[in-house]
Each structure stands twice: as C-alpha cells, then as structure tokens.
C-alpha cells in the first residue's frame, strides 16, 4: 500500500547531503521535526523546522544524551495506521504521526580508528539513534526510514516520482538497509568492548548491493567504506570480482617502495616488475605475461602520466589503481567508458584481520604481513647482490600467489609463476612453461617457493633450467636434501623461516 509522507523526524550526526534531503522534503509538503544541531542546520537553510521538545514537552537532558527517547516520539513512529486501538491511543495522547525517520548514527568506528581515549569512544555509542531506526524499520508498513546520507538523493528522486508517496516494497527495502546498518553498528561496539576485531571487515561500514556475486546467479553485497580507500574517477560500478582483485592488487603493490607495476588476474599476480620509472615498470610487468593481462586489474604505486596511459590504453583491462593520475593521463584512459579508474587514497590496514565463512561458522586470522623472519644463506655459496634483490622481490610476489606457488624472477621482473597446483613440482613446471611461453631465458633467474621443498626434485629441475638461487621457508625433515644439492652444484639458497600458504 502506498503511504504519503506528511511528517519527517530528522536527527543526524553528519550534515552531508542534508540540504538535498530537507529541501526535497519541503518541496513535497513534508513537515520537518528535529533536535539540536540538525534543527539549527535546517533552519539555517531557511526552512521551517519544529523542535522535538515542543512535541514531548521535555527538554534535551544529560548534555544531549537523552533527546528523542520519549513515548510521544516512539508512539508516533510505532503506531499502526490501520490498527483501531493504536488510533485510539494516538488520539488520547495527542501523538503526531512520523511517516519518515532519518538518522545518521554517531561515528563510532571512525572514533575508534582516531583515538584510544575510552571516554570519547563511549560517548560515540548511539542510543536514541539506533532505537529510532529500529522502531521505524519495524513499522515499515507505514513508515520510511533512512540510515545513511548516501540514501538521501535517491530517496528524494523516489518521492518526487511518487508524488510524495512510497510503496510497501520501497519501505521494506529501506528497512532492510536500516537493520543491516544497526546490526553492523552493534557488532562494531561489541568487538571494541571485547577487544576483538574479528568480524570488522564483514560487519562494518555501509552496505553496497552489487550487481551479482562471483557468478550472475549469485546475489552479493559489500559491507565497508570504499570511499575511505578510493576515489573512483571513471567507469562502471565495481563488481564482486573486481573488489576481490582490487584487494589483491593493493596488497601486492604495497610490498614495494621503488616504482612498481602489477597485473592481477583472479587474485594471482600475472605480471609484476620494479624499475627506475613507472613507464619501464609497466612495460616489464606486461611483458611478464601479456596473454593473462587481458581483462586484468592493474596497480601501480606511482602517479600515472600520459606517457604510461598511452601504453596502457592499447589493452583491455577492468580496473586501474594509482595514487594519482595526471589530467592528460585521465583524458587518455577515459576514452573507454567502462574502465574503472581508482585513486588509492590510503594503504590497506596492515593489521587487518581476514575472515572466511564456512561450515556454518567463521574462520578468522591475522593478515599475512611478515615477509621473512630471517634471511639465512645455506647453499653452496652466498647470494650475489643482484640475486639477493631478486630473491627478496620473488619472495614478496610469491606470498601473493595461490598455493602451491612458485615465482621465477630475473632482474626485478616476474618471468614465470606456478600457482594453485596440488604439488610443488607441478607449480614449478607451470612456472617454467609460462616463462618459455613469454620468451624468457631462465639463465641466472631466481626462484621463490611459498613453502618448503619436501624433496630435492624442485631444485634439480630448476637448476636444469638455468636458475641459480632459491628462497624458501625451510622446515622440511628433508631440508638437507635440497641444501646438499645446492652445495654440490654451487647454487645459492636462503631460508626465511616464514611460510606463505594462500588458499
């Protein structure tokens, strides 16, 4: 059933987009009710606004801790329009009907991120706001509810199109978003009190419905604050698979301080290189596997110039991430309307935790932020300076490949990789094959393995292909076999003590 909005109760912390909302409601003949700072902001726009205190007959108390927690407010939200007994109570107690409730909750999570002061954090636990949202969501049959400034513009468009009325389906969808926001808010508070951030990524931030999941028949949504990480300058909406690959690309590119470029496909690095300039890094990264780069996600840690943009413009890619784009570069790259161009404003949280839902529960772990716990030469000779640089690069790249994983590197360039294989030998064979397909010689190349060598077969096969140095965590009961082979054949080997499985 359609419902006309006559009265709106607005109580928001952030005033972002408030003018769009207030002016749109006023244009549709909606009477505005508010408190404190929100009321002042609306009145400063030149719009009429009634103080909630005039409805309740009770002032804001306890320094603003109690403003809207009153039967006349909640009665006006929860009253069922079609219930005879409710109508009797409304008339007897002089309750105003509130047909729209707009609440932007106190920024609890932002406060936690910016201060460790307990009293400041506790003051940002919203009580009345959550109560108002839940009441309005519960009575969605009669009441609309908005829980985010991001919803204001779309809601006004909806209201204009409906001549001031909303449908039941529209109200129910808004209630879904509201209960989701309340649930995530409560989880964030519970996590802070318990000292547990386990469900932070799955439960915090704004909900964004996606076109679909990994496949078109799967529904999906993203919970988080993408706007804190990126400015999207161009292109279509990020998809589920885009987001997964963007996360992988940002994590990989964060490994490097020198100019670097990376190409990601299905979360695996397929081209990575470091060079003196971003243009050289791009050319080397693409050359690492030009076939797999088609449709990939690209990332660099340098400003994107027109020179590089012209080179990139010749291939099809889904997403390009950089800390900045020059105006000339944007002009080149925006020639394709669906390309997604992202400015990464801040690095991923290095201390974040990762979670995965399975078996009716949730697995949680710290992010893999350690590259190597030690660096111990155990082979037939010490690594050369060039080999050491390549081994460190290879180890960092291998950390981001799906297990079993092998990374082959030469002169700061990923030249071959094997990933997602059920045996380490198969991963190595795949890496060697990929290098050959791209026309690379492995003479003088180095190899990184995400886990120990259970036998000496990998070092033997690699040696036969021209590889001269290895880095691996060690820890096998047969480490001595691989080390002995390296000593017999004058090959370098480094043990790091750090495994990098990735499933």
């Amino acid at each position: 059933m359609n419902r006309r909005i006559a009265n709106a109760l607005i109580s928001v912390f952030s005033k972002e987009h408030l003018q769009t909302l207030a002016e749109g409601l006023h244009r549709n003949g909606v009477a505005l009710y508010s408190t404190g700072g929100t009321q002042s902001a609306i009145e400063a726009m030149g719009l009429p606004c009634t103080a909630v205190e005039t409805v309740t007959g009770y002032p804001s108390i306890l320094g603003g801790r109690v403003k809207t927690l009153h039967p006349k407010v909640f009665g006006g939200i929860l009253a069922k329009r079609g219930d005879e007994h409710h109508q009797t109570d409304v008339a007897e107690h002089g309750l105003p009907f509130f047909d729209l409730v707009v609440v932007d909750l106190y920024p609890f999570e932002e406060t936690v991120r910016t201060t460790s002061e307990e009293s400041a954090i506790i003051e940002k636990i919203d009580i009345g706001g959550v109560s108002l949202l839940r009441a309005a969501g519960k009575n969605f049959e009669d009441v609309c509810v908005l829980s985010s400034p991001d919803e204001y513009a779309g809601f006004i468009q909806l209201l204009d199109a409906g001549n001031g009325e909303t449908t039941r389906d529209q109200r129910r969808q808004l209630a879904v978003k509201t209960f989701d926001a309340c649930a995530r808010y409560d989880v964030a508070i519970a996590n802070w009190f318990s000292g547990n951030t386990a469900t932070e990524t799955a439960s915090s931030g704004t909900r964004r419905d996606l076109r679909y999941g990994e496949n078109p028949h799967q529904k999906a949504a993203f919970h988080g604050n993408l706007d804190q990480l990126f400015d999207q300058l161009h292109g279509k909406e990020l998809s589920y698979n885009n987001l997964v690959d963007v996360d992988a690309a940002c994590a990989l590119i964060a490994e490097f301080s020198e100019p670097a470029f990376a190409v990601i496909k299905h979360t695996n690095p397929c081209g990575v290189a470091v060079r003196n300039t971003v243009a050289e890094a791009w050319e080397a990264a693409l050359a690492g596997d030009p076939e797999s780069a088609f449709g990939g996600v690209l990332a660099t840690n340098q400003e994107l110039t027109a020179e590089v943009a012209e080179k990139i413009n010749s291939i099809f890619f889904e997403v390009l991430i950089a800390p900045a784009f020059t105006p000339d570069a944007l002009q080149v790259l925006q020639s394709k309307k669906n390309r997604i161009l992202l400015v990464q404003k801040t690095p991923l949280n290095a201390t974040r935790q990762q979670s995965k839902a399975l078996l009716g529960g949730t697995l949680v772990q710290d992010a893999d932020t350690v590259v190597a716990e030690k660096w111990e030469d155990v082979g037939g000779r010490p690594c050369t300076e060039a080999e050491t640089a390549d081994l460190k690069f290879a180890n960092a790249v291998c950390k981001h490949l799906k297990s079993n994983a092998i990374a082959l590197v030469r002169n700061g360039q990923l030249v071959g990789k094997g990933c997602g294989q059920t045996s380490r030998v198969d991963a190595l064979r795949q890496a060697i094959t990929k290098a050959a397909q791209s026309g690379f010689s492995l003479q003088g190349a180095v190899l990184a393995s995400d886990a120990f060598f259970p036998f000496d077969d990998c070092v033997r096969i690699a040696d036969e292909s021209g590889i001269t140095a290895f880095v691996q965590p060690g820890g096998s009961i047969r480490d001595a076999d691989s080390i002995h082979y390296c000593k017999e054949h004058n090959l370098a080997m480094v043990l790091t003590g750090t495994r990098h499985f990735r499933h």
Side-chain angles (χ1 to χ4, degrees):
M1 180 181 294
N2 287 7
R3 295 291 189 196
R4 177 167 294 280
I5 295 177
N7 299 322
L9 174 59
I10 307 175
S11 180
V12 295
F13 183 88
S14 169
K15 306 306 183 286
E16 184 181 11
H17 306 314
L18 178 60
Q19 186 162 356
T20 297
L21 176 71
E23 289 179 346
L25 292 174
H26 181 69
R27 185 173 65 249
N28 279 278
V30 179
L32 308 181
Y33 292 77
S34 192
T35 63
T38 305
Q39 179 189 349
S40 299
I42 293 173
E43 290 174 340
M45 300 170 194
L47 301 175
C49 184
T50 302
V52 170
E53 290 87 344
T54 65
V55 175
T56 64
Y58 212 87
S60 172
I61 63 172
L62 306 180
R65 275 192 166 193
V66 180
K67 295 190 288 282
T68 56
L69 293 167
H70 194 280
K72 283 196 172 182
V73 173
F74 282 87
I77 297 170
L78 287 165
K80 296 180 181 179
R81 305 324 191 239
D83 188 298
E84 182 179 335
H85 298 294
H86 284 202
Q87 296 305 307
T88 299
D89 286 343
V90 166
E92 180 180 348
H93 298 287
L95 307 181
F97 285 119
F98 290 114
D99 313 299
L100 170 66
V101 173
V102 183
V103 174
D104 172 49
L105 297 173
Y106 292 165
F108 177 81
E109 291 171 280
E110 181 179 337
T111 305
V112 170
R113 284 192 294 268
T114 57
T115 184
S116 59
E117 185 182 345
E118 184 176 272
S119 61
I121 293 171
I122 288 175
E123 283 307 309
K124 288 300 184 287
I125 298 176
D126 208 319
I127 304 300
V130 174
S131 301
L132 291 169
L133 289 175
R134 290 177 64 84
K138 177 177 180 176
N139 202 24
F140 75 90
E141 292 286 356
D142 300 306
V143 180
C144 278
V145 58
L146 302 177
S147 57
S148 168
D150 293 338
E151 297 173 327
Y152 299 169
F155 179 75
I156 294 302
Q157 291 175 358
L158 178 154
L159 206 61
D160 288 339
N163 295 316
E165 294 185 348
T166 60
T167 67
R168 183 183 187 276
D169 284 345
Q170 289 166 345
R171 294 190 299 275
R172 195 178 193 285
Q173 283 304 309
L174 292 170
V176 168
K177 292 181 179 180
T178 292
F179 282 117
D180 183 72
C182 290
R184 289 183 279 110
Y185 195 77
D186 286 342
V187 168
I189 294 168
N191 284 340
W192 177 76
F193 267 100
S194 66
N196 170 32
T197 59
T199 54
E200 180 180 354
T201 46
S203 64
S204 62
T206 303
R207 174 189 171 105
R208 177 183 299 196
D209 290 321
L210 304 176
R211 295 194 303 275
Y212 52 80
E214 275 188 289
N215 301 292
H217 61 277
Q218 295 172 272
K219 292 183 179 179
F222 174 78
H223 299 267
N225 298 300
L226 284 177
D227 292 341
Q228 292 181 358
L229 292 172
F230 305 105
D231 284 331
Q232 182 168 345
L233 304 182
H234 185 70
K236 61 185 179 180
E237 180 184 345
L238 285 158
S239 69
Y240 180 100
N241 292 330
N242 288 156
L243 289 168
V244 173
D245 282 342
V246 165
D247 180 76
C250 291
L252 173 60
I253 207 68
E255 300 283 357
F256 312 111
S257 56
E258 58 267 67
F261 228 111
V263 183
I264 298 290
K265 196 73 172 288
H266 299 300
T267 74
N268 282 304
C270 57
V272 193
V274 290
R275 289 291 185 269
N276 292 324
T277 69
V278 65
E280 293 170 340
W282 162 247
E283 291 178 342
L286 179 63
D289 190 351
E291 187 176 62
S292 297
F294 181 86
V297 169
L298 318 180
T300 182
N301 56 5
Q302 304 292 307
E303 181 180 53
L304 228 293
T305 63
E307 176 194 4
V308 185
E310 291 285 1
K311 298 175 185 295
I312 295 174
N313 200 44
S314 63
I315 74 164
F316 169 70
F317 63 88
E318 288 275 343
V319 184
L320 173 56
I321 309 158
F325 294 80
T326 66
D328 289 345
L330 279 177
Q331 187 173 2
V332 172
L333 295 168
Q334 288 174 338
S335 60
K336 301 291 192 298
K337 68 176 182 178
N338 287 331
R339 281 177 177 165
I340 299 170
L341 305 179
L342 299 178
V343 171
Q344 186 176 1
K345 298 187 288 188
T346 182
L348 297 179
N349 181 2
T351 61
R352 63 183 178 152
Q353 290 188 307
Q354 300 167 325
S355 60
K356 181 183 293 187
L358 49 77
L359 300 175
T362 305
L363 273 178
V364 180
Q365 67 172 357
D366 294 335
D368 183 6
T369 58
V370 177
V371 179
E373 296 173 17
K374 63 178 182 179
W375 195 264
E376 182 184 359
D377 277 298
V378 296
R381 58 175 174 79
C383 299
T384 66
E385 185 176 344
E387 285 174 333
T388 297
D390 275 350
L391 286 171
K392 289 181 176 180
F393 176 83
N395 195 44
V397 172
C398 193
K399 171 185 162 188
H400 295 269
L401 290 164
K402 287 291 195 305
S403 300
N404 286 303
I406 295 290
L408 305 182
V409 166
R410 191 164 179 263
N411 298 328
Q413 178 186 28
L414 180 66
V415 296
K417 78 280 180 191
C419 50
Q421 299 301 304
T422 53
S423 78
R424 197 151 305 282
V425 172
D426 282 344
L428 174 58
R429 289 175 179 139
Q430 182 189 50
I432 293 170
T433 299
K434 290 297 291 184
Q437 286 176 348
S438 298
F440 289 109
S441 166
L442 293 178
Q443 295 298 318
V446 307
L447 178 156
S449 174
D450 65 333
F452 63 63
F453 296 125
F455 307 101
D456 66 359
D457 46 5
C458 282
V459 292
R460 284 190 289 101
I461 294 169
D463 178 30
E464 292 166 3
S465 297
I467 292 164
T468 59
F470 303 83
V471 59
Q472 55 129 335
S476 168
I477 60 173
R478 299 185 64 170
D479 275 348
D481 293 0
S482 296
I483 293 171
H484 178 71
Y485 184 93
C486 288
K487 288 183 175 180
E488 280 195 333
H489 295 81
N490 199 37
L491 304 172
M493 176 173 282
V494 171
L495 300 184
T496 65
T498 307
R499 191 180 70 185
H500 291 296
F501 272 168
R502 182 174 291 260
H503 291 91

